[in-house]
Each structure stands twice: as C-alpha cells, then as structure tokens.
C-alpha cells in the first residue's frame, strides 16, 4: 500500500495561456439538508444516491486556478489558509502550488470571486506577512466593504468578518476593485454574479479563440445545485439573488458551450454544463495525461 494520491494540481491550455488548477484540499460541509434548502431532505439524499454519492455527507473540493498569460501569473482564489473551521483537510494551497512548480512570490495578481473564508483567507500568513508578496489583489468593492465591516462581526458571521478583516485590510493599498464587464488584467474579464455574496464575481479568461470561465461559487455542488438551480445554500447572503445569478450563468455556459472551472466541483473542476430537464448536468472534461 502506497497510501499516496495523484498530484493535487492539473494543467491545461487556454489558447496561448497555461492554466493550472491547484487544490486547497477537500471541505466537508455535513449532510445535504444542513447545507441546502428548498427541497425535502429525502429528495436531496435521493439525488446524491442516484449519482453514486454518499447521501449522508457532502464533500466539496476547492479548486483554485492559476493562469499564466505569458505576461502575468494570476491566481484565482486562495483557499482557507490557516482557518481550521472546516477540519484538517484544507489549507493546502501554498504547499500544492509549490508541488505544481509555482512559487507564491511569482504571483502577480490574486483575483477573488468573493471574500468568504475558503476563497481569500490565505492572503495573509500565520505571522501576518502576505503569502503573495508581489501580488496586487482584485475583488468587488461590495464584498470588500461588506466583509470588512466591523459592525457585522457578531454571531455566526464573526469568524468570517474577523478573518476577512485580517486578510483584506493589510492589503488595502494593493487592492484594485473590479467592475462588471471590465478587464481585470489583459485576458481576464470580471462578470458580476451577486447573491452568494453581495459582490460575488466570476471571471472569463480569453486567449485567441479559446475561453474558460472561473465560476467561483455560482454552484457549490455538481449534482444538487445543477439539477435544482433554485435551491438555497446555507452561506448565501441573498439566496434568491444567488439562484437568479446561478440560472443566468448556467444558461450562458450551456448556450454558449463555455468551458469553466468550478471552485467546489470534483477535482479538477473543469468541464461544461448542458441543459437537462428543469436544470443542468455537468460534463467533466476528460483529464489529459499530456499537456
Ligand atoms: Zn466557497
């Protein structure tokens, strides 16, 4: 028994760009009815079982994305960093970047879909130093303002606001706010998709005639939220707006046949969606053993 696993990173091309999915490690979020609402518990469990998944425990992956445009090295989302609120399997991004041949100091831009723990809490290290010392940070101002608001640091939101303040405020003078439809860095365009958080943003990466979308948390689960896009997720700030954004983005991805990396889908999270009944079905891209 070797007890070892495949590399926690996966590389693919987008036109002239080189893209690498890098895992922060799996994230267990409990039973489906604890995380998702809007359908009976039995139905959620049956959806999982019919797709050969455990009906008792939902495990999300964390697929961060690095894109080398030839001019810049861009990291999309950072994983949980030192926060162990979701167990010991997370917080692996920095180690896994190195396994993929990427030094954190080489990252020029950290582009965030939103300011939740699992997407930005590795900006600052345990001793207060920036983990990406040469990077600018890009995110929507609405998320920056919401999650660094000290007045919200109470109750269930407290660890998330405290962590966002610890990770975002020290980098404020290196932060640029993104805007819907505007270029972030050459080859990367921001697209507003609010609801999961007030400023949740997805990104289109274009090189030549090829594109890939980084869809962040537009859908947390490759079965439940695709089959039933109107479901609500426990960490949605505005669940109904999140569902509307989800349906709009999924419709675009399916209609225009756009490849995308989904942050929480099964590793490496690269694939397409197609319409199926009232919802969608995910078609993971075949994993290539040669670039
Ligand atoms: Zn997330």
């Amino acid at each position: 028994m070797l007890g070892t696993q495949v590399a926690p990173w996966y590389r693919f091309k987008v036109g002239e760009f080189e893209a690498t999915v890098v895992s922060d490690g799996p994230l267990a979020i409990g039973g489906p009815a604890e995380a998702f609402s809007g359908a009976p518990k039995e139905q959620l469990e049956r959806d999982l079982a019919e797709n050969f998944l455990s009906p008792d425990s939902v495990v999300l992956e964390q697929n961060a994305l690095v894109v080398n445009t030839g001019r810049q090295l861009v990291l999309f989302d950072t994983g949980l960093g030192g926060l162990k609120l979701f167990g010991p399997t997370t917080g692996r991004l920095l180690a896994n970047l190195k396994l993929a041949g990427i030094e954190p100091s080489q990252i020029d831009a950290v582009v965030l879909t939103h300011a939740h723990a699992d997407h930005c809490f590795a900006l600052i290290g345990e001793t207060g130093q920036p983990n990406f010392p040469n990077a600018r940070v890009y995110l929507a101002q609405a998320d920056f303002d919401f999650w660094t608001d000290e007045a919200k640091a109470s109750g269930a939101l407290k660890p998330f606001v405290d962590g966002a303040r610890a990770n975002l405020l020290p980098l404020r003078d290196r932060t640029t706010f993104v805007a819907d439809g505007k270029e972030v860095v050459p080859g990367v365009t921001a697209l507003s998709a609010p609801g999961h958080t007030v400023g949740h943003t997805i990104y289109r990466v274009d090189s030549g005639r090829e594109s890939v979308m980084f869809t962040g948390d537009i859908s947390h689960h490759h079965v439940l939220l695709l089959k039933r896009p109107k479901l609500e997720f426990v960490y949605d700030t505005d669940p109904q707006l999140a569902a509307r954004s989800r349906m709009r983005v999924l419709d675009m991805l399916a209609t225009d046949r756009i490849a995308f990396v989904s942050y929480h889908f099964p590793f490496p999270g690269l694939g397409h969606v197609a319409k199926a009944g009232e919802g969608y079905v995910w078609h993971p891209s075949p994993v290539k053993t040669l670039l």
Side-chain angles (χ1 to χ4, degrees), residues 110-184:
V110 178
V111 177
L112 303 172
T113 56
H114 60 300
H116 270 167
D118 51 325
H119 298 261
C120 79
F121 278 20
L123 282 172
I124 299 288
E126 309 270 290
T127 58
Q129 83 290 1
N131 280 330
F132 307 99
N134 299 310
R136 287 198 68 81
V137 177
Y138 299 82
L139 82 162
Q141 184 171 5
D143 250 47
F144 183 96
D145 290 347
F146 185 100
W147 293 103
T148 60
D149 179 4
E150 203 168 10
K152 294 191 176 71
S154 64
L157 285 189
K158 183 165 172 49
F160 300 101
V161 173
D162 286 348
R165 290 172 60 81
N167 280 277
L168 293 174
L169 292 179
L171 300 171
R172 176 64 188 90
D173 61 351
R174 285 205 244 159
T175 297
T176 301
F177 294 130
V178 301
D180 183 36
K182 294 282 189 310
E183 194 169 69
V184 180

Side-chain angles (χ1 to χ4, degrees), residues 6-27:
V6 294
W9 54 270
Y10 177 69
R11 197 155 278 148
F12 61 99
K13 295 286 284 185
V14 184
E16 296 294 307
F17 295 174
E18 187 178 82
T20 309
V21 174
V22 182
S23 175
D24 190 54
L27 182 63

Side-chain angles (χ1 to χ4, degrees), residues 114 118-119 217 220 263-264:
H114 60 300
D118 51 325
H119 298 261
D217 284 7
H220 289 80
Y263 190 74
H264 289 302

